[in-house]
Amino acid sequence: MRGGLLNLRIWRDPILVAISLVALWQVLHEIAGDSAVTAPAPTLAHLWEMIGQARFLPHLRETGLAFLQALAIACGGGVLIGVVLGGHKLTGEVAEPILVALYSVPKITLYPVILLLFGLGMPAKVAFGALHGIIPVVLFTMNAVRNVNRTYLRAGRAMRLTPAQTGWYVLVPATLPEIFSGLRIGFSLTLLGTMLGELFASQRGLGFLLMTAIDLHDVKTILSIAVLISVFAIGANAALLAIDKRLHRGAAPEAHEKP
Amino acid sequence: MSKAGWIRTILLVGAVGALELACRTGAIAPTMVTAPSKMVTTLVETLRSDEIGMHLQHTLSAVAIAMSIAIVGGFVIGFVLNWVPFLRRAFSPFLAAYYAIPHFAFYPLLIVIFGLGPVPLIVLATLFAMVAMILATMAGLDRVPRVLLKTARIHRLSLVEEIWRVRLPAAAPHILSGLKLAVAYSFIGVIAGEFILSTSGIGHEIAFAYDNFDNPRMYALILFVLGIVTLFNMMVFAWERRMLRRRGA
């Protein structure tokens, strides 16, 4: 069963989706005309050309750096806060509704506040990206820590594990799959937040290029950048999803092996 | 109220009080944050005096339209995808990756296509909100227990009756949580779009006040938006809870 056939199956769906999306894009182009939606082939050629240009790279680096820093804060801080909130019952109960309310509020309205606090530039973008990403990471980690099977902890105590050993051999394997799901969502939201931050009051980065392209009515550039970001987002998400599935699958059989 | 509820209230009141104190004593400069009491008074003035009603109306009508399309369309699409396995197989990888895309990167394109106005905002918010509804509808219909469907067959329900009396009620909790997301996402989509680039609406007013260093007005409007959205989300949440309690869940 596992072999060429399975491989073909894995690749068939994404390829079909990609082909149909490009086809849809072409159809939209035929309907809307060149001034609204440029055709796929010239746009991709334009994107390729743009990536080669020296003046494009600083923008890409700016966005990339902002995103990576925001991601590091969201993941590191989120897991840390989540572990604390999950480990202490009352603190978790106090914080959870506040976090959920914050999660569903349009955080973009808070962006001016962040701009005032951090000033224009990189720190504000990083803070805004991290603000978007950190909440799901906290919520997922908190749930993961809360739902650790008490039996595992008791078994650990029976085997006289030190606290460090309990953490490494019991808590980490038990919580990792769910925390990773949170990190995956945090990844997407951090990217969203960073992009949002760049679209408003920014002087560098891909978002800034998008906004200048609107003023110039440069549809080709808008589409190129949007496609670049989407391809990156979808690719990264697919990779994370694959790891995620593997972790969740790994969690079950291990429990069977050592009853 | 529970113990956690009390602590939460005290914490929030304390935080607002501390902010007020810090602003009054000058520990936080008024160019950074205005005092909460001033936010409220400015908000009352703003609501009473100028044309904020028009902006509010623009925002809320865009949200309402996007929300309705997203909920109805998302439900229908989710239902169809669940019913036709072929379509579902074709679309599911696309749906799984959907929320990884930062949609706001496409807002400039929507402006170019539809022109500056309410239409690109509505399209953006609908695109943002609809897929949550589709996914929730599919998840809900997937989790209808087999035994209920068997019972429906024993009672010889017609297809329409089976859907109406068995499938939909059984899927309701998931569909409701999708609805909750669709409401929140419609607000986020419209307000974020207005914020980035538009000519009217609450989001635009906040951005405008920011550009003009009009901090008191900006903070008042931020407070207003957060208040409205939280109120709306809480209403949907309370409604969901009541529905769930009636089902005995």
Side-chain angles (χ1 to χ4, degrees):
Chain A
M1 267 309 273
R2 290 172 165 269
L5 187 76
L6 198 73
N7 264 331
L8 192 78
R9 274 232 172 124
I10 290 172
W11 289 107
R12 194 188 58 190
D13 286 350
I15 289 174
L16 280 182
V17 169
I19 291 173
S20 49
L21 279 181
V22 173
L24 182 73
W25 182 357
Q26 182 74 44
V27 170
L28 274 178
H29 163 69
E30 302 293 340
I31 296 171
D34 220 19
S35 65
V37 181
T38 49
T43 310
L44 293 179
H46 181 67
L47 174 63
W48 186 244
E49 186 190 320
M50 226 163 53
I51 292 176
Q53 278 170 356
R55 68 187 171 86
F56 178 72
L57 288 178
H59 291 291
L60 188 62
R61 194 179 308 128
E62 168 91 6
T63 305
L65 266 180
F67 173 61
L68 284 180
Q69 291 177 42
L71 189 65
I73 296 175
C75 293
V79 170
L80 208 66
I81 297 174
V83 167
V84 171
L85 293 184
H88 193 257
K89 189 160 175 276
L90 187 65
T91 329
E93 270 177 40
V94 171
E96 195 176 4
I98 300 178
L99 288 171
V100 171
L102 256 178
Y103 181 66
S104 50
V105 135
K107 281 176 277 294
I108 182 88
T109 49
L110 294 174
Y111 194 48
V113 181
I114 286 172
L115 284 176
L116 288 176
L117 293 181
F118 290 89
L120 285 174
M122 188 70 119
K125 277 187 230 174
V126 173
F128 196 57
L131 181 70
H132 272 80
I134 200 166
I135 297 177
V137 179
V138 172
L139 287 174
F140 271 78
T141 309
M142 188 168 77
N143 263 326
V145 173
R146 257 190 213 160
N147 294 337
V148 171
N149 197 333
R150 298 283 150 214
T151 325
Y152 298 166
L153 293 176
R154 237 176 290 145
R157 219 172 321 137
M159 293 175 199
R160 297 183 182 248
L161 298 186
T162 62
Q165 280 175 323
T166 313
W168 183 247
Y169 291 108
V170 181
L171 288 179
V172 171
T175 53
L176 195 62
E178 207 176 333
I179 292 181
F180 195 83
S181 304
L183 293 182
R184 188 170 63 82
I185 295 172
F187 181 93
S188 304
L189 282 176
T190 307
L191 185 60
L192 184 86
T194 316
M195 284 308 301
L196 264 179
E198 284 197 338
L199 287 174
F200 182 78
S202 154
Q203 294 98 22
R204 273 190 300 277
L206 295 180
F208 168 74
L209 285 183
L210 275 175
M211 292 313 275
T212 37
I214 295 190
D215 292 338
L216 300 171
H217 204 99
D218 184 357
V219 185
K220 220 184 237 177
T221 302
I222 297 178
L223 257 174
S224 299
I225 296 174
V227 167
L228 177 68
I229 297 169
S230 305
V231 168
F232 168 70
I234 293 176
N237 185 59
L240 292 175
L241 198 64
I243 301 176
D244 197 343
K245 273 194 184 143
R246 201 167 174 160
L247 282 174
H248 277 278
R249 205 176 331 133
E254 223 174 48
H256 278 294
E257 274 165 26
K258 300 167 197 163
Chain B
M1 213 181 332
S2 65
K3 192 176 162 201
W6 279 111
I7 296 179
R8 197 180 311 129
T9 317
I10 293 167
L11 215 63
L12 289 177
V13 171
V16 174
L19 185 63
E20 178 82 36
L21 202 68
C23 293
R24 292 274 157 180
T25 55
I28 297 177
T31 46
M32 293 268 244
V33 184
T34 56
S37 58
K38 198 170 174 214
M39 287 183 205
V40 175
T41 49
T42 322
L43 176 58
V44 173
E45 270 172 43
T46 314
L47 286 183
R48 215 183 276 159
S49 62
D50 50 286
E51 71 298 2
I52 202 72
M54 181 194 86
H55 292 291
L56 185 62
Q57 197 193 331
H58 285 182
T59 303
L60 288 184
S61 57
V63 171
I65 296 172
M67 204 191 294
S68 322
I69 302 176
I71 290 172
V72 175
F75 176 74
V76 171
I77 294 175
F79 196 89
V80 171
L81 286 185
N82 198 66
W83 207 257
V84 188
F86 161 72
L87 284 179
R88 183 194 184 125
R89 257 206 323 279
F91 277 97
S92 59
F94 176 67
L95 292 176
Y98 190 77
Y99 277 105
I101 305 170
H103 296 80
F104 298 99
F106 285 92
Y107 183 54
L109 183 69
L110 294 176
I111 291 180
V112 172
I113 297 176
F114 297 107
L116 205 53
V119 182
L121 287 172
I122 293 172
V123 174
L124 178 73
T126 310
L127 286 177
F128 196 42
M130 183 137 78
V131 173
M133 191 67 195
I134 296 179
L135 289 172
T137 308
M138 281 167 56
L141 291 174
D142 273 348
R143 283 174 181 68
V144 175
R146 294 260 158 262
V147 62
L148 291 185
L149 298 181
K150 278 184 198 156
T151 316
R153 217 166 330 136
I154 289 170
H155 286 275
R156 295 181 184 251
L157 295 188
S158 68
L159 185 64
V160 177
E161 260 183 327
E162 189 210 87
I163 291 171
W164 185 246
R165 291 182 189 277
V166 178
R167 278 180 203 262
L168 290 187
H174 284 273
I175 297 178
L176 273 179
S177 62
L179 198 128
K180 212 166 55 178
L181 280 180
V183 170
Y185 285 0
S186 312
F187 269 107
I188 294 176
V190 169
I191 290 174
E194 282 175 352
F195 200 90
I196 297 167
L197 193 66
S198 78
T199 50
S200 67
I202 293 282
H204 168 257
E205 279 301 283
I206 296 175
F208 190 74
Y210 169 78
D211 287 338
N212 288 297
F213 303 103
D214 190 354
N215 277 7
R217 186 178 157 87
M218 183 187 93
Y219 274 107
L221 289 174
I222 291 177
L223 187 69
F224 185 55
V225 169
L226 296 186
I228 287 188
V229 175
T230 310
L231 190 76
F232 215 88
N233 287 341
M234 270 162 57
M235 262 158 49
V236 180
F237 188 68
W239 182 58
E240 183 196 21
R241 271 241 293 255
R242 224 183 56 205
M243 292 276 282
L244 287 181
R245 205 171 318 133
R246 217 164 51 190
R247 296 161 48 94

